[in-house]
Amino acid sequence: MNYDDIDFNELYIKQKENSSFKIKSQDAWDKKAPSMNKKVHNSIYNEEFLNLIDTKNCNSLLDVGCGVGNLSLRLASKLDEVYSLDYSQGMLDILEQNAKEQNFLNIKTINSSWYDSWEELPKADIVIASRSMEVVDMKEALEKLNNQANKRVYISFKVGGSFLDQDILDAMQREIVKKPDYIYLVNILYGMGINANVNFVRSEGRSIVYSSAEDFIKSVSWSIGELSINEVDRLKKYFDKIVKDKEKSVDYIKWAILFWDK
C-alpha cells in the first residue's frame, strides 16, 4: 500500500461517526447564541485568525458557519459585500442586530447548512469556515467551500481531536473516542490537488471563562453530551479543587488554520 491507496475521507467519516462528540442540532445552536454573543467578540482568536487573511484585491466574503458574526463584522469594514451563512436562525438574528448597532449595511445573512444545495449561493472572493466544520463528509464540505471561492479559502479546525482537556476527562472518569484531527483535512485537500498552508492560532480555554460550578458543568455537558449523576459530582469536586481558585493564567486551545489560493 502507498499513500494514494489511502482514502483519508473514508477514514474521517468512520472516526467522525464513532466519535464521542456529536454534531449539535439547529435548536441547540439557537439556544447557545445569546451566551456566545457575550464572549466570542472579545476572544484573542478573532485577531489571530484575521491576521492570516489576505484581503488584497478582494471585494466579497462568504462566512460559512458565521455564528453571531465575530469575523463577519470585522471583515465588513474591509470588503464591499459580506455573506454570512449559518443554519441557526438564532445566530443570524443576533448577527443582524450586531450589524445594525455597528451601522454595517453590507452584511447579508443566509440561513442554510452544509447539507443544503449551494447552487444558488453567491460566490465570493474569500470564503471562510471558522470553527464550523463539524461535518459528516469532509471532502464534500471542502469541495463546496472551494467551489464558492473566487480567490482564497480559509478554514479552522480544532487540534487534538477532543473538545475537553484530558484532565477534565480524567476527573469525570470518562473514556472517549476522539473526533478526527486537523491532519485529516490536510490529507483530504492534498488528495483533491490542493496543497494547503497550515498555521496555528489560539482561543481561550474554559478555566478563564467559567466562574461557577454550574456554568462549568453546563459547558462540559455542551461538549460531551448528557452527564451521569456520578460525573456531575466528580466535576463539582474538580471545579472546587482545581478551577475555582485557579489564578487567572491564560489557558489556550489550539486551532489549525488551513488556507489556499485558487
Side-chain angles (χ1 to χ4, degrees):
M1 176 182 290
N2 59 35
Y3 182 90
D4 293 333
D5 295 323
I6 303 173
D7 188 335
F8 287 98
N9 193 56
E10 181 180 356
L11 294 176
Y12 169 92
I13 290 172
K14 289 180 179 178
Q15 186 168 344
K16 185 67 176 175
E17 181 179 358
N18 293 328
S19 170
S20 301
F21 301 96
K22 304 305 179 184
I23 295 173
K24 300 292 188 296
S25 68
Q26 179 180 342
D27 181 62
W29 284 113
D30 287 346
K31 293 177 180 177
K32 184 77 169 178
S35 63
M36 180 176 289
N37 193 49
K38 293 179 180 179
K39 61 184 180 181
V40 71
H41 298 287
N42 296 320
S43 173
I44 191 175
Y45 171 89
N46 299 322
E47 297 309 318
E48 293 203 0
F49 184 90
L50 291 172
N51 284 340
L52 297 173
I53 295 183
D54 180 9
T55 59
K56 184 179 180 181
N57 299 321
C58 293
N59 297 313
S60 56
L61 168 78
L62 174 62
D63 183 357
V64 179
C66 60
V68 294
N70 53 303
L71 298 179
S72 288
L73 293 164
R74 284 169 167 81
L75 288 166
S77 63
K78 300 180 180 181
L79 300 166
D80 295 332
E81 297 175 306
V82 173
Y83 302 101
S84 301
L85 181 151
D86 206 289
Y87 85 136
S88 165
Q89 187 59 52
M91 293 285 183
L92 296 179
D93 290 344
I94 292 178
L95 189 159
E96 290 173 356
Q97 182 61 35
N98 290 336
K100 182 179 180 180
E101 291 174 357
Q102 297 181 38
N103 296 315
F104 285 119
L105 303 178
N106 58 334
I107 297 178
K108 178 181 179 181
T109 59
I110 302 171
N111 187 210
S112 188
S113 79
W114 289 105
Y115 310 109
D116 294 329
S117 171
W118 286 14
E119 290 184 5
E120 302 300 320
L121 288 186
K123 292 184 179 293
D125 293 334
I126 300 172
V127 173
I128 66 174
S130 167
R131 300 189 290 194
S132 63
M133 298 205 67
E134 295 301 319
V135 297
V136 174
D137 188 319
M138 182 56 68
K139 184 179 180 181
E140 179 181 72
L142 291 169
E143 287 175 340
K144 280 189 166 185
L145 294 175
N146 195 57
N147 289 339
Q148 293 304 127
N150 296 325
K151 296 183 179 181
R152 301 174 190 124
V153 181
Y154 298 83
I155 62 177
S156 66
F157 202 81
K158 190 177 183 302
V159 175
S162 173
F163 288 115
L164 292 174
D165 292 339
Q166 189 59 47
D167 57 347
I168 296 176
L169 293 168
D170 290 343
M172 295 170 60
Q173 299 180 22
R174 169 81 72 98
E175 293 185 4
I176 65 164
V177 177
K178 291 186 176 182
K179 71 186 189 71
D181 209 339
Y182 80 94
I183 198 64
Y184 280 87
L185 281 67
V186 176
N187 288 308
I188 293 169
L189 286 167
Y190 180 82
M192 294 166 54
I194 297 173
N195 293 310
N197 300 282
V198 182
N199 212 322
F200 299 93
V201 302
R202 303 166 296 168
S203 68
E204 295 83 355
R206 295 173 190 276
S207 63
I208 65 170
V209 177
Y210 301 101
S211 57
S212 72
E214 291 74 17
D215 285 347
F216 176 72
I217 292 168
K218 186 184 296 184
S219 173
V220 172
S221 178
W222 167 263
S223 295
I224 197 67
E226 186 175 353
L227 304 175
S228 69
I229 295 174
N230 288 336
E231 287 173 334
V232 170
D233 184 59
R234 293 178 191 126
L235 286 173
K236 286 180 180 178
K237 293 176 181 177
Y238 175 82
F239 180 87
D240 290 339
K241 182 178 180 180
I242 303 297
V243 179
K244 182 179 179 180
D245 297 324
K246 188 175 182 179
E247 294 183 4
K248 293 296 183 178
S249 58
V250 180
D251 293 339
Y252 291 112
I253 296 170
K254 184 181 289 187
W255 297 85
I257 310 299
L258 284 64
F259 55 102
W260 64 94
D261 293 333
K262 291 294 294 286

